[in-house]
Amino acid sequence: MEAEQGRLSPAEDRAAALIDAVRLRLAEAGAQPTSGSVAAALRAARPPLGGGDTLDAVRALHAELVGAGPLDELLVTPGVTDVLVNGPDEVWIDRGAGLERVAGIRFPDNEAVRHLAHRLATAAGRRLDDARPWVDARLPDGTRLHAVLPPIAAGCTHISLRVCRSHPFTLEELVTAGAVPPLGATLLAGVLQARLSLLISGGTGTGKTTLLAALLGLVGPAERIVLAEDSAELRPDHPHVVRLQSRPPNQEGLGELTLRDLVRQALRMRPDRLVVGEVRGAEASDLLTALNTGHEGGCGTVHANTATDVPARMEALGALAGLDRLSLHSQLRSALDVIVHLVREPATGLRRVAELHVLVENAHGLAETSQAVAFTAYGGCIAGPGWGRLWERCALRGVELPREL
């Protein structure tokens, strides 16, 4: 009952005291908190533990000092894609079938959650304090971190961790998992080979980055890929990748590097494939300009509810760069070839490719999408009105797609 009310149990109290003792000895010795130094400091503290208990204590202390504390075991659990902390005793995970609450993992109090968020932000080289009460960054092991401090987060610090797979999915693995139908993999490989420019659209958590990384793995080894991202999420299996990452301003408000800055610099780095991890601001204008000036085969992701919403979404982003409506749509039609839309099935949580669209011009001279292919949840494939246009675009580049679906 006391633990539920926020007070430490005797075991937790002893663990906290041991952590403080080890932290103090490491500070006095000026040692980095590695597994070896933590073990040495633990032995010096002389806790009444056996050999096996000492090893467990070293792991727990290392997780507390340099890892994700009690969340470490969740981050290494197979199948876990997201770990969310809403409070000291409210931890959730996603194994691919929706969120589920975790029993048995808790923090001593709200301050412990805030301390973990601050330490993770520091490990990522980012600032998190009352002056800047949020952080969106990539941890050294690839895990994506987002944290928000009170008063923005009501009551307690909120932490969101997205697990990064140590090796990127291949397109074949996505087919096996049911995320991409076999014929869809053939069509996507043809689009990449034909060097058509594409955007992957979908909602949050639908697998846009995962699919983009898998597709970039199909790019020829002689091609140079230049990535521009807010946080380094994309890890394609490719021998020649150049990564550019944006940077927030420092405490004096200086030194900011925006995604738009990165896109402009990437154009001077001789990219064979220009990739924007997520198009979310004024960089949309620079990306469209690049794709209209000889940089074929560019890729990116964008948040959109449906594929047909992508032109409206790009119109809104183009307005941030000062583009008027007609200019944006004119550039969009000539720059972008294919939209790949992803969905997440509400019943099963399966993330999958749902549609391929092409860009066409409507009666008002604006860009709109035309469905080329629709994929059912069971791997079926249905040709849409835009199928002929997609087939012709690939054929003009020397890539022949199946004539009949």
Side-chain angles (χ1 to χ4, degrees), residues 49-135:
L49 301 175
D53 293 335
T54 300
L55 184 58
D56 292 339
V58 169
R59 294 195 186 102
L61 287 167
H62 188 267
E64 181 64 31
L65 294 173
V66 298
L71 306 181
D72 258 4
E73 61 181 275
L74 299 177
L75 295 175
V76 298
T77 301
V80 171
T81 59
D82 294 87
V83 178
L84 311 174
V85 180
N86 297 342
D89 56 354
E90 193 174 343
V91 179
W92 300 74
I93 62 172
D94 188 348
R95 305 175 195 259
L99 292 174
E100 52 187 285
R101 192 164 180 172
V102 180
I105 293 183
R106 62 181 298 277
F107 292 82
D109 50 32
N110 289 351
E111 187 58 33
V113 180
R114 181 185 178 109
H115 175 74
L116 175 60
H118 182 268
R119 181 162 53 75
L120 293 177
T122 301
R126 295 297 176 91
R127 174 186 174 190
L128 181 64
D129 52 33
D130 291 337
R132 187 176 181 84
W134 64 83
V135 65

Side-chain angles (χ1 to χ4, degrees), residues 181-204:
L183 182 55
T186 300
L187 298 180
L188 290 173
V191 167
L192 263 289
Q193 185 181 351
R195 296 183 62 80
L196 299 184
S197 300
L198 63 89
L199 273 182
I200 299 176
S201 64
T204 300

Side-chain angles (χ1 to χ4, degrees), residues 292-337:
N292 273 307
T293 54
H295 295 276
E296 297 178 339
C299 311
T301 71
V302 64
H303 279 79
N305 293 327
T306 66
T308 55
D309 290 334
V310 170
R313 172 74 170 145
M314 294 297 289
E315 180 182 325
L317 298 180
L320 298 176
L323 279 179
D324 63 81
R325 191 182 190 194
L326 289 179
S327 297
L328 183 282
H329 281 265
S330 177
Q331 288 204 48
L332 187 60
R333 288 197 315 273
S334 58
L336 193 60
D337 297 303

Side-chain angles (χ1 to χ4, degrees), residues 23 25-34 37-38:
R23 184 181 286 116
R25 290 183 178 276
L26 290 175
E28 290 174 345
Q32 293 295 322
T34 63
S37 63
V38 169

Side-chain angles (χ1 to χ4, degrees), residues 137-224:
R138 178 70 49 175
L139 299 177
D141 66 352
T143 301
R144 180 173 178 177
L145 163 71
H146 186 271
V148 183
L149 302 180
I152 293 180
C156 179
T157 299
H158 287 238
I159 301 175
S160 303
L161 297 171
R162 175 158 292 178
V163 181
C164 178
R165 198 167 184 258
S166 56
H167 299 286
F169 281 100
T170 64
L171 195 57
E172 291 77 12
E173 288 174 327
L174 293 180
V175 171
T176 302
V180 181
L183 182 55
T186 300
L187 298 180
L188 290 173
V191 167
L192 263 289
Q193 185 181 351
R195 296 183 62 80
L196 299 184
S197 300
L198 63 89
L199 273 182
I200 299 176
S201 64
T204 300
T206 52
K208 299 184 296 297
T209 301
T210 299
L211 178 61
L212 180 55
L215 293 180
L216 293 176
L218 302 178
V219 172
E223 297 187 55
R224 175 179 168 94

